[in-house]
Amino acid sequence: MKKVKLKVPATIANLVCGFDILGMAIHEPFDVMELKLLETSEIIIRHTDDFGLPEETSKNVAGKVLLKIQEELHLKNGFEVIIHKKIKPGSGLGSSAASAAGAAFGANWLLGNILSKEEMIYFAMFGEELASGVKHADNITPCIFGGITLIKSSDPIDIIPLNAPDLFVTAIHPQVEVKTSDARQILKKNILLKDAIEQWGNIAGLVAGIQNNDFGLIGRSLKDVIVEPVRSILIPKFDEIKEKSLGLGALGGGISGSGPSVFMLSENEKISYEIAEMMKSVYRTINIESFAYVSKVNPKGIEIIEE
């Protein structure tokens, strides 16, 4: 029976100012997914974690993706999926995207690599829609492409892979939950033109800085005047962590996806670990458990670890 085992990385969406259009893959944490191609049409989902995610196919993110692939490709085969989830749901580190992207990537491999990366993203977006109510691809895309990606359009899908600068990423996940669907509901429906102009400048500056390895420009562009001021109120000690990170030498950073995780970019590993220790210390003062990760940008995205 044909099978594949995948390492599916966490991702950081938005990169501060690029709401729904920028994303970055990191090395840790990551999920492991095992997929088998079945002779029957059944789709079986199993979890080995304790997060209580549904295993009913139509209610599971990976299951939703596989159902859509089965439907649109008119498949007689089904799939069995075992998910060893280490990216905690509601962390802001692309947990649902990992399941969705892993399902699309694994199914494609089992079927003989018949789909393009863009087609895999198309199918994976149905899983994200189940999780958050919106077909967004800012986590899915770097998971499949690796590195840093720009979504020029999600309908039709138009992806621009960007340079992966030699930067270190520090991410902290305080053990509080922020649901993506909830974090979207509090966003403003209308924004001022002056704020939009400032945001466009930051996005353009960030992309230019990434492409040219201009760390100074990256730092100056990691500013969000639209989403962060609203969502940051959901994250304990956000302002303190950001201010102290910049004081330690971070280029900049902000909310990872919809939160509660926070990330910072740094030029060297020493600063990254100092930021991680500071972040954990801040959360200890208010008795909130947290997990910190230090990683470089992950240029590969999903990897096959066993066939």
Side-chain angles (χ1 to χ4, degrees), residues 124-232:
M125 284 169 61
F126 286 93
E128 282 287 63
E129 183 182 34
L130 176 65
S132 67
V134 179
K135 284 184 183 176
H136 61 98
D138 47 353
N139 288 101
I140 290 169
T141 303
C143 201
I144 290 174
F145 273 79
I148 300 176
T149 52
L150 167 65
I151 303 166
K152 182 183 178 298
S153 168
S154 57
D155 185 19
I157 295 172
D158 188 354
I159 307 301
I160 303 169
L162 302 179
N163 178 42
D166 190 24
L167 290 173
F168 288 86
V169 186
T170 306
I172 185 84
H173 176 204
Q175 297 301 286
V176 295
E177 185 175 357
V178 175
K179 292 184 178 179
T180 302
S181 54
D182 294 339
R184 283 182 173 270
Q185 287 176 2
I186 66 170
L187 296 178
K188 295 178 181 178
K189 304 303 180 188
N190 299 290
I191 58 175
L192 296 174
L193 179 59
K194 70 178 184 66
D195 290 338
I197 291 169
E198 183 176 349
Q199 195 84 340
W200 292 331
N202 287 332
I203 295 168
L206 181 56
V207 171
I210 289 168
Q211 290 298 81
N212 295 318
N213 284 303
D214 187 334
F215 296 164
L217 180 55
I218 290 173
R220 298 196 305 276
S221 303
L222 286 167
K223 297 177 182 177
D224 178 6
V225 298
I226 295 173
V227 177
E228 184 177 288
V230 179
R231 282 186 169 175
S232 61

Side-chain angles (χ1 to χ4, degrees), residues 59-97:
K59 296 180 180 179
N60 182 277
V61 168
K64 188 74 172 180
V65 174
L66 296 173
L67 282 170
K68 194 65 180 176
I69 289 173
Q70 192 179 56
E71 174 193 339
E72 293 207 10
L73 300 185
H74 307 290
L75 297 179
K76 295 181 179 179
N77 298 93
F79 302 90
E80 180 182 356
V81 186
I82 302 174
I83 304 173
H84 311 277
K85 181 157 286 296
K86 300 296 177 64
I87 310 169
K88 189 174 181 179
S91 63
L93 293 171
S95 181
S96 59

